[in-house]
Amino acid sequence: MNARERLRAYLEQRRELGESEMLLDALGVDDVMRMLGALPGDGGATAAVPAAAPRPVPTRAAPRDDAAAVAPDRPVAPPRAGDDGPRPPREAREPGAPVEQGDDWREMMQRLQSAAPARPVPAAPESLPAAADDAPPPPRKTGTLALQEGAVFPRGLRVERPPLIGVDPGAAWQSIDAVNVAIAACKACDLVRTATQPVPGIGNPLAEVLVVGEAPGEKEDLRGEPFVGPAGELLDKILGAIQLDRTTIYICNVLKHRPPGNRTPTPEEVRACAPFLQRQVDLVQPKLILAFGASAAQALLGTKLGIGQLRQQLHWYQGIPLVATYHPAALLRNDAWKRPTWEDVKLARRVLDATLRA
């Protein structure tokens, strides 16, 4: 694969994550795609990408622990235009347990868990510095929140009210079962006509962790449960690496019916399903929300930022800590996103540990 093909593949990945802007010699993603001939417009297929000096990429220092010792300090950067070939991987070795960049996800998780079986992710400090002018909102459940933003965890977005104006949270639904019945009877959008059945949610209705995905896929549509098939199996491995499983969490999607062809949800579809998602949050009252994929994070936080800009930060959704990362289905298409996802879920575990001690 030559430099132009690698750059084109990289830009397509950024567009898939919902990122419409990036710094590349002062050009936007669409501008560069046109120059590569991937989009109609000026530039043509033969246009060359202007050479530019590489820009320094800011990095955020993260606390290291026993599990992190077997992973690189940061994910391997994607190829840049002008490279003559793939870069050699950076190796981070622990005595007696070398790890290669090409290790698959299963082997990596096994090594991470075996490295620190008792405590795979470090807990936050017992005493957290106070932030007098920017304290988090009151906890939704006793002992849920004793975190102060910025000092220990990277500061993110804060949502005090549902981001969709005019959304009725459906307060008449007094239980998760009542929400499921309402989802089964919903005809607020056309998805009910093309889907096999609704996919409301599954798991512990009093869970400490709420996992939110984008929408049901083909296998989820057939079974009526979220996160099944290959993406669901990978999700189970990710959760297992931070000592969570389906019996201790609640899992749902932004959309409750499958979009045709697994396409990205429309704003109208997100708005139609918003009361169900909001009521699920109200009833579960989790201590942590894990948003997998750009659509899930954007719907909850009311933003258009891509997942690359939302990850590795602690966000707040109505007083509940929220961590966003890549969707497991995206990891099946791109191995380079697996290690960043591991860093994100380690952050989520540290946040959860801090709230459990509150």
Side-chain angles (χ1 to χ4, degrees):
M1 181 181 292
N2 59 34
R4 184 191 300 185
E5 290 171 341
R6 292 199 303 271
L7 177 58
R8 176 173 177 173
Y10 173 59
L11 294 174
E12 287 175 346
Q13 292 170 2
R14 310 321 300 174
R15 293 191 68 190
E16 183 177 350
L17 291 175
E19 298 183 9
S20 60
E21 296 182 359
M22 63 179 290
L23 291 177
L24 186 63
D25 197 29
L27 296 177
V29 171
D30 287 347
D31 295 328
V32 178
M33 294 289 283
R34 290 189 186 95
M35 298 180 72
L36 294 173
L39 290 177
D42 294 336
T46 60
V49 179
R55 299 175 183 269
V57 179
T59 58
R60 180 182 289 108
R64 297 187 62 83
D65 58 345
D66 294 338
V70 299
D73 293 336
R74 60 179 66 90
V76 177
R80 288 182 286 184
D83 286 351
D84 294 328
R87 298 180 179 181
R90 292 183 56 184
E91 295 186 356
R93 297 179 181 271
E94 188 178 61
V99 174
E100 298 181 0
Q101 184 72 21
D103 286 348
D104 62 16
W105 184 250
R106 182 187 301 275
E107 182 179 349
M108 184 179 73
M109 286 302 181
Q110 289 174 346
R111 293 194 182 189
L112 290 172
Q113 289 174 308
S114 63
R119 187 175 68 89
V121 181
E126 293 291 342
S127 176
L128 302 180
D133 296 331
D134 194 21
R140 299 168 58 87
K141 188 162 59 177
T142 302
T144 293
L145 198 59
L147 305 177
Q148 299 294 340
E149 297 180 74
V152 176
F153 301 104
R155 186 187 307 271
L157 302 178
R158 183 198 294 271
V159 173
E160 302 292 351
R161 297 183 180 89
L164 298 177
I165 303 301
V167 167
D168 179 5
W173 305 326
Q174 296 300 315
S175 67
I176 289 293
D177 288 340
V179 175
N180 295 346
V181 170
I183 291 172
C186 179
K187 297 181 180 179
C189 70
D190 291 336
L191 292 183
V192 68
R193 301 178 183 177
T194 57
T196 302
Q197 60 183 319
V199 183
I202 193 171
N204 184 354
L206 300 177
E208 294 171 339
V209 176
L210 176 66
V211 169
V212 181
E214 175 181 286
E218 180 181 7
K219 294 185 181 297
E220 290 80 3
D221 178 62
L222 294 175
R223 189 184 298 186
E225 296 181 10
F227 282 99
V228 297
E233 293 175 1
L234 183 52
L235 175 66
D236 290 342
K237 296 175 185 177
I238 294 171
L239 296 176
I242 56 171
Q243 305 299 303
L244 295 174
D245 59 56
R246 289 179 182 255
T247 65
T248 61
I249 65 174
Y250 192 82
I251 308 177
C252 62
N253 286 307
V254 172
L255 295 193
K256 311 307 181 184
H257 288 85
R258 179 197 179 195
N262 295 348
R263 61 165 170 74
T264 302
T266 67
E268 293 75 20
E269 292 164 352
V270 172
R271 187 175 294 107
C273 283
F276 303 126
L277 178 58
Q278 178 63 49
R279 192 57 180 160
Q280 287 171 323
V281 175
D282 291 339
L283 291 170
V284 176
Q285 294 191 36
K287 294 182 179 180
L288 173 71
I289 298 175
L290 254 174
F292 283 92
S295 292
Q298 291 168 351
L300 288 164
L301 297 175
T303 181
K304 294 183 179 180
L305 294 175
I307 195 66
Q309 298 168 281
L310 295 173
R311 57 173 297 270
Q312 279 297 289
Q313 300 178 64
L314 178 57
H315 308 284
W316 298 90
Y317 180 80
Q318 299 178 333
I320 304 173
L322 183 151
V323 174
T325 190
Y326 297 98
H327 196 282
L331 305 185
L332 295 174
R333 299 189 298 268
N334 191 327
D335 287 341
W337 292 334
K338 290 180 178 178
R339 289 183 184 270
T341 300
W342 170 237
E343 296 300 325
D344 296 337
V345 296
K346 284 197 299 182
L347 169 63
R349 182 72 236 191
R350 291 198 301 272
V351 173
L352 180 60
D353 287 342
T355 64
L356 292 177
R357 289 198 313 275

